[in-house]
Every structure is written in C-alpha cells, then in structure tokens.
Amino acid sequence: MAWKWKSSGRTPRRTRWFRTLIALAACGAAAGGLAAYRTLSDDTTERPVTMEEASRLALSRLNLYQASPVAVTLTATEGGGVVVRVSGVVDYRTHRGVGSYQVTSSTSASSSSEVGGPAAGQLDHGLIVWDTGGLGLAPAPKGDNSPPWQQAEHIPRSGWSARSYTADPLDAGLQLLIQLGADRPDNPLLLAQSGARWLERDRIDGRSYDRFAGPRAQGATPGAGSDGGRSPLTYWVDGDGGLRRVTMRMSGLGTPTTVQFSGRDGRAKLPEAPWATG
C-alpha cells in the first residue's frame, strides 16, 4: 500500500516558530573573525554560550550557503512506528532541494514481489523535491540507479504531485532544512542574548562538535516547562563553524526530527524540470 501523504493549503502555526529561531537578525556585517577554538576540559555543565561560541554558531548558516550544494539526510518520525527518511542535496543559493525518500514502518511486514518494489517494512519510496513554498513527490524511474538529482531532471513538472507544507514532522523538517543556509552570518551578540546555550561536546565520525541549544522561542520563559524553556532546535557545530547536525523537537513526539549534513557534493546539479514553467 502506498503511503498516503496529507495535503493542506494552510501554513501551520506550529512551524512558524522556527522561522524566527533560524533567521534571528541575519545582518550584513561579518562576524569579525573567530577566536581560537578553545577546549574547556573542565566545562561539563550546560551554560550560556561564550562570544566565541556564538560567533561559530552565527557563521554556520553562511558556511552552509557557501558549501552549496550540500549533501543532506533528514529523518522524521511520523508516529505509529512510521519513519520517513530523505537523502539528497540542497542548494542554498536557489533554496531548492532534491532527493529520494523512503517510508518505513517498524510494525509493518509488507513486501512486494515486484522487482524494484518496496522491501519488507517499506511502505513507499520515490523522489522528492522541495523549496520554500512546498514539496513535490514523484515515482522513481524503474531501473535507474543514477543520483536522485539526475533522475528528477527526466520528470517534467506535470509528473510531480505538488502540495504546500503541512504540520507533519517531515514537512516541518523540510521547511527547517531549506532555511538553514544564509548568504550572511547571524548576529552573534543577539544569538547570545536570545538564550543560545552550550550543552555538551560530542564526537561524530571522529571529529569534535559543540552541541548548542539555539535561541529560545519568542515569549519562552527561561527555566519554565519540562525543557527549561530551551529552544526546540539543537545544533552540532565544529571548531570552524561547520554545521554537522540539527535536531528539532516537536510537541507530542518523543523522537526529534534530525538533519545530517555530509559536506559539499560537487557533482550535484539541481534539476530545472520540476520547477520549469510553460
């Protein structure tokens, strides 16, 4: 059975809050150079960010923009054991993304005897494109093992099932993902003043990253609620301001939506066909 995607023309209120969080005071002035990346070996408890840390966090969106097209993986839990995984590339200069998607269920043992059909536990799969206004889905061409961005070029605009974003975790994650890159750094002082916090230092694939809670949602009271009024967005940033991972907590879901960045994909060229007119 194909996964039934919801459709709605409304802009969900629950996804509006992160627009403010990731677009806080994008300013024309450069962050002014980074201080040396410090290792605070005795720093083990959550605390407000230092100015050096705020500067790296402020540069992370610009670094994504400059690295475009960037390889990304998004994982969203829809509830009921259903997980949607998107693997593709995003070009932050055009604010467009393209990739493949798979919908799986831990409670489903559905399978297909058709060659190239869904594997056991897989509910649906295909191609996906998205931008700031919404997303489009299309069946993947059978027997085509080329990258999704190449496959998408052969599907005309009429071949895509397009819709506006909904309040689903996948849609909220795609909206977040397409807005994470920017052509200028954020204001590090404002990031620090708006409640960004250092949480911990982690290692991912052998590299050290600082884990930060982003600026608090507008109107949130520090220390209030089960999360202490902390931002629902968490960032993993390296010593050069490179963004490796972002998670987003959503109300009512125990598993956050996760975005992973794997660096520049110099081979990728985003297709024009899904957005072509005429």
Side-chain angles (χ1 to χ4, degrees):
M1 177 184 294
W3 176 250
K4 295 182 179 179
W5 298 84
K6 300 177 182 178
S7 62
S8 171
R10 296 184 301 168
T11 300
R13 284 188 291 177
R14 83 163 62 176
T15 60
R16 290 175 184 165
W17 49 261
F18 65 72
R19 295 181 183 175
T20 301
L21 295 179
I22 64 175
L24 261 172
C27 60
L34 292 178
Y37 181 48
R38 297 192 300 272
T39 301
L40 306 177
S41 58
D42 58 344
D43 198 357
T44 58
T45 58
E46 178 182 332
R47 56 168 172 75
V49 295
T50 65
M51 282 308 301
E52 183 272 333
E53 291 164 347
S55 294
R56 283 192 282 122
L57 184 57
L59 280 177
S60 62
R61 297 180 67 204
L62 175 63
N63 286 339
L64 273 183
Y65 179 91
Q66 293 178 334
S68 294
V70 181
V72 300
T73 302
L74 182 151
T75 305
T77 301
E78 295 281 342
V82 175
V83 176
V84 186
R85 183 183 179 91
V86 174
S87 297
V89 292
V90 174
D91 188 339
Y92 287 105
R93 291 177 170 82
T94 60
H95 296 286
R96 291 175 176 177
V98 59
S100 61
Y101 73 88
Q102 292 188 3
V103 185
T104 59
S105 173
S106 60
T107 60
S108 172
S110 61
S111 62
S112 173
S113 59
E114 179 183 349
V115 176
Q122 183 171 295
L123 302 178
D124 195 13
H125 70 296
L127 300 178
I128 183 169
V129 293
W130 68 100
D131 56 23
T132 56
L135 61 92
L137 304 173
K142 293 183 180 180
D144 189 344
N145 295 320
S146 61
W149 49 270
Q150 287 185 349
Q151 296 181 39
E153 187 61 58
H154 301 297
I155 300 175
R157 185 170 183 174
S158 60
W160 296 89
S161 176
R163 62 172 173 80
S164 301
Y165 289 120
T166 71
D168 289 343
L170 170 66
D171 292 31
L174 291 172
Q175 275 191 291
L176 170 68
L177 176 55
I178 205 67
Q179 296 179 53
L180 280 172
D183 61 358
R184 61 193 67 188
D186 291 317
N187 185 326
L189 180 60
L190 188 56
L191 286 175
Q193 292 175 343
S194 300
R197 297 182 67 82
W198 182 91
L199 303 178
E200 198 171 4
R201 183 160 293 138
D202 295 328
R203 291 189 70 82
I204 303 174
D205 296 333
R207 187 176 178 87
S208 293
Y209 294 85
D210 285 307
R211 178 155 40 106
F212 299 109
R216 290 188 298 269
Q218 188 174 8
T221 302
S226 58
D227 59 358
R230 183 190 298 167
S231 167
L233 300 180
T234 303
Y235 302 81
W236 280 255
V237 180
D238 67 17
D240 299 319
L243 189 59
R244 181 66 171 81
R245 177 187 296 168
V246 179
T247 62
M248 175 174 60
R249 301 190 313 277
M250 296 186 69
S251 177
L253 291 178
T255 303
T257 296
T258 300
V259 175
Q260 300 268 15
F261 296 95
S262 304
R264 175 177 172 80
D265 186 344
R267 306 169 305 155
K269 181 180 179 182
L270 266 72
E272 293 292 335
W275 288 276
T277 58

